[in-house]
Each structure stands twice: as C-alpha cells, then as structure tokens.
Amino acid sequence: MGFFSTPDLKGDIYGGVTAGVVALPLALALGVASGVADGAIAGMYGAIAVGFFAAMLGGTPSQISGPTGPMIVVVVALVESLAREGHPPELVFTAVMMAGALQIVFGALRLGQYIRLVPYPVVSGFMSGIGAIIIILQIGRLLGQEPPGGTVAALRFLPEAIANVNLNAVLIGAISLAVVYGWPQRWGKFLPSPLAALIVATIASLFIEVPVLADVPTGLPELHLPAFGLLFADGGAVLWVVLKAAIILAALGAIDSLLTSLVADNMTRTRHDSNRELFGQGIGNIVAGFLGGIAGAGATMRTVVNIRAGGNTKISGMIHSVILLVIVLGAGPIAAAIPHAALAGILVKVGVDIIDWTYLRRAHRGPRWDLLLMALVLGLTVFVNLIAAVLLGVFLAALAFVRQVAQQQLELLQGLPDRVEDPQEAELFEQARGRVTVFDLAGPLSFGAAADMGHHVRMKSKEDAGAIILDFSRVPFIDVSAARAVETVACDGKRMGKNVYVSGANEKVRATLKGLDADHCLEVDAYHPKRIDALRMAVQAIKQADGGATPQPA
C-alpha cells in the first residue's frame, strides 16, 4: 500500500484531521499530568514527533501514536524520582531518547513477536492498574489542588485536598466529565467528546476563578541533547534511575503499540509488521526526546478514530502530527486559558477507559488463578511499581502454565495397551502377557513433566515387566530436563534387569540424547523407527529370557 495511494488519500486526510483534533486535548492533558516543566508543550511535541515518525517508519499503516496513559505513569515516576534525589529534570528527555534507542534494538533483534506473548491476565491487570493510577492522580486536580507525585502520596493527600476544596474547580471538573461522558455519539463525528469537553469547560472557566495552564510556550521547540555526562553523577546512581525508566518506557511502549496494532489489524483486515513498528516507535521517541517531548506509543482510541474516519495509510498519522504542529505554532495563548480541572476530567475518562471492565465483569466465570494473577498485577502496578508488576506477573503466569502442561502430560503418560488400536500391536501385547509397558509421550516434553517422568514410569510399569518402551513418535524435540529424565528411566530399567527401548525418536531428539550422553544406559539396539518394531524386539527379548517359552501372565 503506497504512501499516496489515490483511493485512500481522501480518507487519510479526513482520518488524520479527525485524529489530530481528538489528540489535541489528550496531548495537553497527558503532558500536564507528566509533571515535566512546560508539560503542555511537552505533551504536544511528544504527540507530534512520535505520531509523525512512527507513522512514516512504522509497520502499522493506520496507527496513530502519541502520549498514552501508561507511558505518562512512568514519566511521572521518573520526574518524581529525579526531583527527590535533586537530579537535573532534563534527564527525563534523555530517558525518552534511551527508550527510543532500546525500541530500535528490540526491533533489530526481532523481539516484537515475543513481546506479544505476555499473558492476558498480566496485560489486563497492568492496564487496569495504569487506569487506576491515572484516576487517583487526577482526583486532587478535580478538587482544585495540585497533588504530590506518586500514587500513595496522592492518596494520602486526599484528606487535605478535601479540606481545602476549590468548589469552582469542582464545578469545571464536573462540567468536563459531564460533557465527555454525555456528548452524543452522532455529534462526535464532527466534534470529538474530549475536545468538546475542553472547549465547554474552558468557556465556563472564563466566568469564575480556577487554576489554569497559564504560560504555554509557542513556536519551534528548543533542542535537548542527551545529557550523558550527568548520568554518572553520584557514582552511577543517576544512570540506574534513568536507565530503569528507559527500559520500562521501551518495553511498555512496545507492548502498548503492538496491542494497538492488533486492534488496527482486526479493524482493517491487514497484518502489521511488529519489528518495523518497534523501529518506527523508537525513532519517534528519540526525536521526541530531542524536541523536549514526552514519550509516546500507539494510542488505541486515536487509532480507532482514524480508521473509522477513513484513515488507511501512513499519510493519516503524518497529517495528524502536522495538524498538531500548526496548533502549537500559533495557539499558545488560547491553550494558556485551559483549566487544570478540565484536563483532569478528560484524563479521568481516559483512566476509566483503560481499565479492563470487560474482563472484570466476566472474570468470576473463568479460571480462579487467572483472576488472582490479574488482581496481583493490578495491586503491584498501583502500589509498588510497574516493572515489578509485569516481571512477577509474567514469571507466575509462566510457572502456572508449565505446571498445567506438566500435569496434562503426566496424565497422558499412560502405559499401553490401554489405548491400542493397531491389530498387530494388540497381538504382540497379547503375546507379551502384560510384561511390556509402552509409554506414549505427546508433544514437546516440558521440564515440568520431565521432573516427575521417572517416578511416573516406575509407578505405572509393573514390577515384573520385562521391557519398557518410550515412544517419542509425537515428540518434536526435548530439552536437557527431558533428556535427563530419559537417562533416569533407562538406568533404572537397566539396574532392575528391564530392557528399555526408544521408538519414533527423530534426529533432533536422538542428537540431544547422544550429545548429553543421556543414552549411555541404553543398549545399541534400543532405538527403533516405529513403535511396533520396538514392541517386536521387546517380545522377542522376553521370550529369549524365558528360554523360548511363551511369556506367562504377570
């Protein structure tokens, strides 16, 4: 799909203009909420830079990028941390540039496909936690006060905010919330509800005294070069603070963008390029940092608006950024009159929309463990920190999945002939008289199942069985844990005088066993291409051991 595909150009122009109008109040609100100096203009230049370059160089043609709620939460935490330690605030923009560079590395290493593997309960808990944080941080502004940074600090500040409530700000916030929630959907096609709320609340504030944005810079941005020299102050303590924030921003921006890309795919019936998208997002964030803008990512609501308005190619995202640039170059005096409470009302709606209400309403009907995991990640996101929430959530989800797979594999590790359908095999089992046990392994043998494989084989094979067959016909590969489990079974069988055979093992499985010397207890004739071949050998060996007589029942 070309840059200037004629059939799409009209829709791209309308989609880009519409997305730009929707992005305006959100960029201002999120910029102010970020806590950086000149937050309103930082939000605008973040939307302009990330929106333009992610669209031009990214892998999702219809995606609109810019500051998002999850990214702002990380920026707020970094600003608070730098201020608390007395470090220069411009390091925020260095962190944004570092995050962009990391996203380029993610794309070069082709990590896009893996980032999307984060389990849904973790994503749900994380995003819901982000939504809760945004709402908590805006309550003070709705009451006419400026809350301290941090979720816990903002909650502790609430009694003071309530005691010193500014009723005028409450009124403006209520107007903003009423408009953003009550704006008719049919009117939203011409004037999006966030922009309508911003206009109505700002006009209402002209008649009463409320805190406003005041001085909003206009014109071209001031360049912010990377402050690498400041990173090594205090013995590298500053480097760790900034690097940690950059890693979180990069990973969170990648997840946020790729999830939005999936939404765009579903709406446009296309398929995005994950790694190219990461490259585009990375370039956008690097440029945003240079321009003094805050970090951004793929924005779901703005992307949906763009697609519904007809945006279908990269042009729409680039037009969205051009619209915002035109506004920045000449609308500073108008933006200065916007009340904080109006932006807070818009952000509360953003926070509510981020919370995964769909899953929360249905979670009680799903697996209880997934609900507990989602709640744990949500709590950690709100009250501890983002990286701990995601890392612990992914670790616990992976651990639970391995446990479930292991249990399933061990349950399927049944000794044949319980499920024999082949008549030739059935005849051989009849000749063996219960003294040959075949274990039919299925799928990649996980390390969780491998840990108990030896025990289950001992429990399910009869005491006086003369042979054990491990059928690997349905096992594509094994790891070290599975190889050691095979070694345990083979050596236990040899010690107990039982013949152990391996059937259906492909070259990869055999190479792993041989390379790790896990087959040293197997005889040279232990490997057989098919299960029936191993079964014939086992029956023949038992007959020979019995002096040629027919094996007796166990």
Side-chain angles (χ1 to χ4, degrees):
M1 191 176 295
F3 258 53
F4 294 97
S5 178
T6 305
D8 296 317
L9 189 56
K10 181 179 178 181
D12 287 335
I13 293 174
Y14 187 64
V17 171
T18 306
V21 172
V22 172
L24 172 62
L26 298 176
L28 290 170
L30 292 168
V32 172
S34 70
V36 302
D38 298 326
I41 200 69
M44 291 293 287
Y45 273 113
I48 292 167
V50 182
F52 187 87
F53 287 98
M56 183 173 69
L57 302 173
T60 313
S62 56
Q63 180 153 280
I64 302 295
S65 300
T68 63
M71 301 292 274
I72 293 308
V73 171
V74 182
V75 175
V76 168
L78 177 58
V79 170
E80 177 70 15
S81 179
L82 292 173
R84 186 170 57 248
E85 302 296 332
H87 301 313
E90 60 264 28
L91 285 172
V92 171
F93 304 117
T94 301
V96 173
M97 287 182 256
M98 291 170 64
L102 285 172
Q103 288 180 324
I104 293 175
V105 173
F106 292 168
L109 295 176
R110 309 190 69 79
L111 298 181
Q113 56 188 328
Y114 299 106
I115 291 174
R116 294 188 298 170
L117 297 180
V118 177
Y120 185 83
V122 176
V123 174
S124 176
F126 178 72
M127 297 304 291
S128 296
I130 292 292
I133 291 174
I134 292 174
I135 294 170
I136 291 169
L137 293 178
Q138 300 311 309
I139 294 176
R141 293 189 177 97
L142 285 173
L143 297 175
Q145 307 297 318
E146 185 60 32
T151 310
V152 176
L155 287 172
R156 289 175 177 170
F157 178 73
L158 280 181
E160 181 180 341
I162 294 173
N164 299 284
V165 62
N166 183 327
L167 295 179
N168 289 343
V170 172
L171 176 61
I172 296 300
I175 291 173
S176 177
L177 282 168
V179 174
V180 81
Y181 273 105
W183 194 249
Q185 190 172 359
R186 63 181 183 276
W187 295 358
K189 297 178 181 178
F190 308 100
L191 185 62
S193 61
L195 185 59
L198 189 68
I199 294 172
V200 172
T202 300
I203 292 174
S205 71
L206 298 177
F207 303 97
I208 55 179
E209 185 177 350
V210 291
V212 296
L213 295 184
D215 296 329
V216 177
T218 58
L220 296 174
E222 178 183 344
L223 294 182
H224 293 257
L225 297 177
F228 293 132
L230 299 175
L231 294 177
F232 297 95
D234 295 342
V238 185
L239 174 62
W240 170 240
V241 171
V242 175
L243 180 60
K244 183 171 68 172
I247 292 172
I248 299 174
L249 282 172
L252 180 56
I255 294 172
D256 206 359
S257 299
L258 295 182
L259 290 176
T260 302
S261 296
L262 291 176
V263 173
D265 286 351
N266 289 333
M267 294 184 67
T268 60
R269 298 298 186 266
T270 58
R271 183 176 177 81
H272 72 278
D273 185 331
S274 297
N275 298 305
R276 185 173 177 180
E277 182 62 34
L278 291 179
F279 175 79
Q281 294 289 335
I283 295 295
N285 278 305
I286 290 175
V287 176
F290 272 115
L291 299 182
I294 55 179
T300 304
M301 184 179 77
R302 279 157 272 179
T303 298
V304 170
V305 167
N306 176 49
I307 294 172
R308 286 179 176 170
N312 200 35
T313 75
K314 298 171 180 292
I315 289 296
S316 58
M318 296 164 68
I319 290 176
H320 138 273
S321 293
V322 172
I323 295 296
L324 294 178
L325 180 61
V326 171
I327 293 173
V328 166
L329 294 179
I334 298 175
I338 296 174
H340 283 285
L343 296 177
I346 294 171
L347 283 177
V348 167
K349 175 67 162 56
V350 171
V352 170
D353 288 343
I354 289 176
I355 294 174
D356 190 359
W357 299 109
T358 301
Y359 177 67
L360 287 173
R361 285 192 292 266
R362 304 172 182 171
H364 65 282
R365 298 199 297 265
R368 183 166 299 179
W369 162 249
D370 287 342
L371 175 59
L372 291 175
L373 180 62
M374 185 268 192
L376 175 64
V377 173
L378 192 159
L380 289 174
T381 300
V382 174
F383 296 108
V384 183
N385 63 64
L386 306 178
I387 194 167
V390 173
L391 290 180
L392 184 60
V394 170
F395 172 75
L396 291 177
L399 208 60
F401 177 74
V402 169
R403 179 174 176 272
Q404 289 177 336
V405 171
Q407 287 180 330
Q408 182 70 15
Q409 289 177 330
L410 291 173
E411 288 174 4
L412 293 174
L413 193 64
Q414 299 293 336
L416 298 180
D418 296 343
R419 295 174 284 116
V420 175
E421 297 179 0
D422 187 284
Q424 295 184 39
E425 289 188 353
E427 182 181 348
L428 288 169
F429 275 117
E430 182 68 24
Q431 295 177 26
R433 302 288 186 177
R435 293 176 62 186
V436 176
T437 305
V438 178
F439 291 94
D440 184 17
L441 307 173
L445 194 60
S446 71
F447 60 85
D452 289 329
M453 179 177 163
H455 172 71
H456 278 260
V457 169
R458 285 192 297 270
M459 293 292 292
K460 293 179 180 179
S461 60
K462 295 182 179 180
E463 191 70 28
D464 57 349
I468 295 173
I469 299 175
L470 301 178
D471 186 18
F472 282 82
S473 300
R474 296 190 291 163
V475 178
F477 61 87
I478 61 174
D479 61 5
V480 176
S481 300
R484 292 304 175 203
V486 172
E487 180 182 15
T488 299
V489 171
C491 292
D492 283 353
K494 184 176 182 179
R495 187 172 57 253
M496 298 171 64
K498 299 179 180 180
N499 295 314
V500 179
Y501 302 94
V502 174
S503 66
N506 61 36
E507 289 299 324
K508 188 179 294 186
V509 171
R510 293 184 63 167
T512 301
L513 292 173
K514 184 175 181 61
L516 295 171
D517 195 30
D519 58 354
H520 65 91
C521 287
L522 293 174
E523 300 297 335
V524 292
D525 61 350
Y527 288 103
H528 297 275
K530 296 182 179 180
R531 184 168 66 193
I532 194 168
D533 298 326
L535 190 54
R536 287 195 185 101
M537 180 65 73
V539 172
Q540 181 180 350
I542 291 175
K543 288 181 178 181
Q544 289 177 352
D546 292 341
T550 302
Q552 297 301 310

